[in-house]
């Protein structure tokens, strides 16, 4: 269960319980003129921040995850293949998302039997460099809010990390709940090639 929560928190368009009502999602936070297709390709989880007590259990133990976003045959639906390390072994995991264009949000599609529904907004994005994502989630009846930083490469400019901190603070999450994920092990990959991931 813990590994699944870590992965869901880290994945682009990558949190989780009953669905968060749409009225609780603040659409004023989203990136204007968002282009879904430009998000496809390779990303790395760089930083995370959350307002939940369970987030504290992840601090100091989480690490960078590499994943590839690609389109599916269904309109506005895509999949993310995550590559992560668990007990010394590299594991691939596939998760699915739907982009609700009229509501300017993404929706995590939970696996059968897993109570995980997440509303996701793109707060800020530079398609070939980084993205800030906002998660409004409900995990087993507990509502949480989190923000994640993703990069096209495993290391981003210092200015972007500082901008992420400022963005997190504006969401009402305290600075001590911000963490930057270490690049440990071979599972995050050694290549920084930007792949489109288009089918």
């Amino acid at each position: 269960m813990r590994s699944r929560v870590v992965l869901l928190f880290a994945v682009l368009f990558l949190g989780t319980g009953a669905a968060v009502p749409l009225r609780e999602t603040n659409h004023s936070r989203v990136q204007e003129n968002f282009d879904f297709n430009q998000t496809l390709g390779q990303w790395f989880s760089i930083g995370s921040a959350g307002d939940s007590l369970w987030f504290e259990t992840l601090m100091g133990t989480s690490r960078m995850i590499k994943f590839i976003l690609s389109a599916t045959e269904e309109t506005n639906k895509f999949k993310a293949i995550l590559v992560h390390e668990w007990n010394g072994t590299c594991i691939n995991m596939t998760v699915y998302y739907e982009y609700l264009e009229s509501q300017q949000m993404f929706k995590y599609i939970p696996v059968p039997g897993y109570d995980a529904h997440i509303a996701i907004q793109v707060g800020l994005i530079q398609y070939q460099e980084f993205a800030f994502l906002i998660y409004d989630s409900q995990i087993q009846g507990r509502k949480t809010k989190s923000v994640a930083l993703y990069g096209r490469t495993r290391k981003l400019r210092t200015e972007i990390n500082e901008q992420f901190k400022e963005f997190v603070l504006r969401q009402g999450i305290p600075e001590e709940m911000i963490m930057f994920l270490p690049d440990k092990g071979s599972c995050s990959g050694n290549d920084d090639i930007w792949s489109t991931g288009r089918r």
Side-chain angles (χ1 to χ4, degrees), residues 9 29 48-52 55 133-136 144-148 164-179:
F9 185 84
R29 299 179 302 184
S48 299
D51 65 356
S52 174
F55 183 83
L133 301 183
I134 304 169
Y135 297 83
D136 289 307
T144 67
K145 180 178 180 180
S146 56
V147 184
F164 175 67
K165 289 182 181 179
E166 295 175 2
F167 185 82
V168 168
L169 295 178
R170 290 201 300 272
Q171 310 309 313
I173 299 174
E175 185 172 0
E176 61 268 22
M177 298 299 285
I178 301 174
M179 65 178 176

Side-chain angles (χ1 to χ4, degrees), residues 1 4 10 23 25 49-50 53 64 69 78 82-84 92 99 106 124 148 160 166 169 181 183 187 191 198:
M1 174 63 180
R4 186 179 296 275
R23 66 177 180 274
T25 303
L53 292 176
M64 185 179 295
L69 293 177
F78 61 96
L82 290 73
V83 182
H84 68 103
N92 290 353
Y99 177 50
F106 290 86
L124 182 65
I160 297 175
E166 295 175 2
L169 295 178
L181 305 174
D183 181 10
C187 293
D191 60 299
R198 292 181 174 83

Side-chain angles (χ1 to χ4, degrees), residues 22-40:
L22 296 183
R23 66 177 180 274
E24 296 185 10
T25 303
N26 179 2
H27 299 306
S28 65
R29 299 179 302 184
V30 301
Q31 171 76 43
E32 295 183 357
N33 302 315
F34 178 72
D35 187 345
F36 168 82
N37 289 321
Q38 290 195 61
T39 66
L40 303 178

Side-chain angles (χ1 to χ4, degrees), residues 7-117:
L7 289 174
L8 292 175
F9 185 84
V11 74
L12 182 64
F13 309 152
L14 253 138
T16 32
V20 176
L22 296 183
R23 66 177 180 274
E24 296 185 10
T25 303
N26 179 2
H27 299 306
S28 65
R29 299 179 302 184
V30 301
Q31 171 76 43
E32 295 183 357
N33 302 315
F34 178 72
D35 187 345
F36 168 82
N37 289 321
Q38 290 195 61
T39 66
L40 303 178
Q42 175 178 281
W43 292 91
F44 295 89
S45 59
I46 304 294
S48 299
D51 65 356
S52 174
L53 292 176
W54 65 259
F55 183 83
E56 295 181 357
T57 67
L58 305 181
M59 302 185 74
T61 61
S62 298
R63 62 185 62 192
M64 185 179 295
I65 294 175
K66 173 184 176 180
F67 51 95
I68 303 292
L69 293 177
S70 62
T72 69
E73 295 179 355
E74 297 183 67
T75 303
N76 286 347
K77 288 188 179 181
F78 61 96
K79 67 179 179 180
I81 299 177
L82 290 73
V83 182
H84 68 103
E85 183 175 332
W86 184 249
N87 290 333
T89 301
C90 293
I91 298 174
N92 290 353
M93 177 180 178
T94 301
V95 293
Y96 292 89
Y97 300 89
E98 180 180 7
Y99 177 50
L100 307 178
E101 186 172 2
S102 63
Q103 300 164 6
Q104 295 183 290
M105 61 173 281
F106 290 86
K107 176 184 177 183
Y108 166 68
I109 302 175
V111 297
Y114 186 54
D115 191 16
H117 302 266

